[in-house]
Structure formats: C-alpha cells, structure tokens
Amino acid sequence: MHIREIEEKDNKVIEQIIKHSLESFHLNIPGTAYFDPQLSSLAQFYKQQSNAKYWVAVNEQGEVVGGVGIAPFGQKTEVCELQKLYIKPEAQGMGLSKQLMGVALDFAREHYIYCYLETSKRLQAANSLYTKLGFRPLERALDGSEHNAMDAWYMKELL
C-alpha cells in the first residue's frame, strides 16, 4: 500500500468510495459529506486552501482504495479538521485507516494545535480508532460545523 497526495485523476474514484461508504450506513443524507459541493473535485479543493492536504491510499495494482484530508476549521487558525476518511470495503481491516491518519496527523502537527473531527455513532470502527489515537469525545459540534447530521465529535491536542 502506498499513500500519496491526491491528484485530479483520483477525484472520481475517491468520490465514489465516499458515497458508497455513506450509502452503506444509510448516511447519504443532507448534512453529511455526501452532499459536499467539493466532493467531485477534492484535489482542486484541497490545493486551494492553505495548510490543507488530501491523501489517497493506492494498492499494488495502482487502484485508489481510500483517503483522508486535513483542512483548516472555519476561522480558527489553531484548529484543523480531519476530513473524509473513507476506505473501500475490500481494503478495510488492514490498518489502512490508522496509516492514513498517521500521515494526516503528522501534517496537522506542523500547522495546528488541535485537530477536530465529526462523525456518526453508526461508524463504530471509526469511533474506536479515533479514541485509540487520542481523540477525546466532545458533547457537541464546534461552532461553524457544516455537517449537522453528524452526532459524534472529537478533538485531539497535537503535541
């Protein structure tokens, strides 16, 4: 498995991975990443922002099987958001989410003090991983959150 920054040629496949994953948990609803306007052009979206990147995981056959992003959270210069961590079903259970998060959090430490994320309680494996990696649950979303269908929020101090 190889992790690299997203390229424009990856946009369609990562959009499909994200949409299929959300559909499988019945989260293809407004207030989730499913309806993000930038979902079909993630490479361009992350390049336009300062201190933001999106990485994809590529298997031995050269196929994109997952991805994760870091971007600023609203106007808070010290807080970033871990975004759009999704893995194809056939690539799950091999530690890929943890590897992607390692790359993302290493980048985040260079630019931010805190990393925020929002997710759904339905995504039990993801919630478990976030806790294992030192994210602390929050009682509610941070002000400025755009995904109002999410019901689990976390913050990690980047030391």
Side-chain angles (χ1 to χ4, degrees):
M1 215 51 83
H2 171 68
I3 296 173
R4 63 166 169 77
E5 285 185 48
I6 193 170
E7 300 171 9
E8 284 188 39
K9 67 179 182 177
D10 305 320
N11 281 339
K12 191 70 173 163
V13 71
I14 200 67
E15 177 185 17
Q16 301 258 302
I17 291 169
I18 292 168
K19 284 188 169 186
H20 289 155
S21 180
L22 288 166
E23 288 164 2
S24 74
F25 285 95
H26 306 289
L27 288 169
N28 49 330
I29 56 173
T32 68
Y34 196 92
F35 288 98
D36 284 355
Q38 68 274 14
L39 196 57
S40 63
S41 56
L42 290 181
Q44 298 90 324
F45 176 76
Y46 282 89
K47 282 187 177 113
Q48 291 170 356
Q49 300 182 75
S50 60
N51 300 329
K53 284 191 182 183
Y54 194 90
W55 299 267
V56 292
V58 182
N59 67 16
E60 292 73 25
Q61 292 76 38
E63 301 166 328
V64 172
V65 296
V68 68
I70 291 284
F73 183 81
Q75 303 304 312
K76 298 173 176 23
T77 57
E78 73 280 3
V79 180
C80 67
E81 183 178 16
L82 185 109
Q83 301 176 336
K84 296 173 179 58
L85 173 64
Y86 293 95
I87 310 291
K88 273 186 166 184
E90 59 268 24
Q92 293 175 1
M94 300 185 296
L96 190 51
S97 291
K98 187 175 180 181
Q99 290 176 45
L100 281 164
M101 285 191 64
V103 171
L105 292 173
D106 285 347
F107 172 81
R109 282 184 193 91
E110 297 174 17
H111 304 282
Y112 302 97
I113 299 171
Y114 300 97
C115 184
Y116 169 75
L117 69 85
E118 45 198 21
T119 188
S120 171
K121 292 176 184 173
R122 295 182 201 177
L123 306 175
Q124 294 174 345
N127 283 275
S128 176
L129 176 64
Y130 301 143
T131 303
K132 285 179 186 169
L133 293 178
F135 282 82
R136 304 274 181 249
L138 302 175
E139 290 185 18
R140 60 182 172 84
L142 290 185
D143 291 341
S145 170
E146 296 178 4
H147 294 125
N148 59 11
M150 297 295 94
D151 60 3
W153 312 274
Y154 294 88
M155 184 77 82
K156 176 180 176 68
E157 187 170 356
L158 301 168
L159 302 171

